[in-house]
Amino acid sequence: MILFSTPTSANGSLFRSAAHIAAGRYRPVPWVNEIFDAGRPEDLRVLVPPAEDCLIKHNAPERFNPATRLSDYRFVLNARDPRDLLCNQYHWQFVHPFPGETPEAAEARKESVRAAGIDHFVLNLDISPYLDGFLGVARRIAPPDRIFIGYAMYCLHFDVAMERLAAFLGTSLAALPPAQRRGLNKERVENLPANSNWIGRIWSGTDTAPGRHRHELQPGTISILSQRYARFLDFLRRMDDPRVAETYD
């Protein structure tokens, strides 16, 4: 089983939720993180994730090995509005460590980004490798072998999303033992501030609802990004639940 995601908000929380639901049947493996931490990110292009008894988190779609036999896995697909993703990337410039960067270089970079502003940043950051990599894999997965749990549904309709995920994993929320239900409950948006695993307790600039671009970007910037990422936004509208389709307008 692969949780396949763009590097977007909530993929860590969704991974933990899936692990709670699938506890005892799948061993959670933060595969990409382990390979990055080992200093071998390019190995992702040639390595194949374990196909048996593991729940793999793969949030580097631009490095997904094209030789991977997709039919060997089932996929939980996770993505969010690319305009919101870009806003997250801006805020992370100020808090997220950059490997190999000296403190002086970090301060200079932050000052440059801050002075230029968020609109300049999002218009000049190319996230198409993430999105194209994600689409290239998602569109080749047989429909019975995939489920889409997007950021919008995860935040706004947690119970619906988790019941669907449980069914995909061959169980139901009602069938989960109390310990697993308690672990899952910690991942609700309203409970995240008290969750020690929530990334927002480590780095500022995180968010817990779709649509941050509407509050942070100028209308002209939004218009440009909406056209630039029209193909991915259309994919999200079609893949996601109708009750959150308007978040992609």
Side-chain angles (χ1 to χ4, degrees), residues 7-226:
T8 188
S9 303
N11 71 70
S13 179
L14 179 56
F15 180 64
R16 294 192 298 272
S17 291
H20 287 306
I21 293 172
R25 292 183 295 141
Y26 292 95
R27 178 172 63 88
V29 180
W31 198 60
V32 168
N33 299 60
E34 291 178 352
I35 293 174
F36 265 80
D37 289 345
R40 301 182 287 110
E42 291 308 309
D43 284 1
L44 289 168
R45 301 183 189 275
V46 296
L47 294 177
V48 175
E52 299 291 334
D53 306 321
C54 290
L55 172 65
I56 304 295
K57 186 174 81 163
H58 197 308
N59 59 333
E62 76 283 6
R63 289 185 167 91
F64 190 86
N65 181 356
T68 304
R69 284 167 46 99
L70 301 185
S71 60
D72 288 346
Y73 306 88
R74 301 180 80 211
F75 287 81
V76 179
L77 302 176
N78 173 242
R80 77 175 299 185
D81 190 314
R83 299 165 298 186
D84 287 345
L85 191 159
L86 282 162
C87 291
N88 277 58
Q89 294 286 313
Y90 171 79
H91 290 285
W92 274 40
Q93 291 291 312
F94 306 108
V95 295
H96 197 278
F98 282 51
E101 192 175 50
T102 66
E104 295 77 14
E107 286 307 311
R109 172 181 52 76
K110 293 175 187 178
E111 182 54 37
S112 176
V113 171
R114 187 178 292 109
I118 187 171
D119 290 271
H120 178 273
F121 178 85
V122 301
L123 289 172
N124 287 277
L125 179 63
D126 182 14
I127 60 171
S128 58
Y130 300 152
L131 308 184
D132 292 346
F134 185 87
L135 287 177
V137 174
R139 287 176 168 168
R140 293 189 294 117
I141 303 169
D145 293 335
R146 73 186 187 202
I147 185 173
F148 184 85
I149 304 291
Y151 179 84
M153 278 296 289
Y154 190 72
C155 292
L156 301 177
H157 302 281
F158 182 83
D159 289 303
V160 174
M162 293 302 95
E163 193 62 71
R164 290 177 180 171
L165 179 58
F168 186 71
L169 294 172
T171 186
S172 68
L173 298 186
L176 298 182
Q180 288 171 238
R181 289 202 299 271
R182 287 193 296 271
L184 186 62
N185 195 51
K186 289 181 180 179
E187 302 302 330
R188 294 178 181 275
V189 166
E190 58 268 31
N191 295 335
L192 283 176
N195 187 337
S196 61
N197 291 315
W198 182 43
I199 201 168
R201 291 173 64 90
I202 305 171
W203 292 312
S204 62
T206 60
D207 61 331
T208 56
R212 74 180 305 173
H213 69 278
R214 294 187 176 90
H215 311 294
E216 300 184 6
L217 303 179
Q218 295 295 320
T221 301
I222 295 173
S223 179
I224 292 171
L225 296 179
S226 297

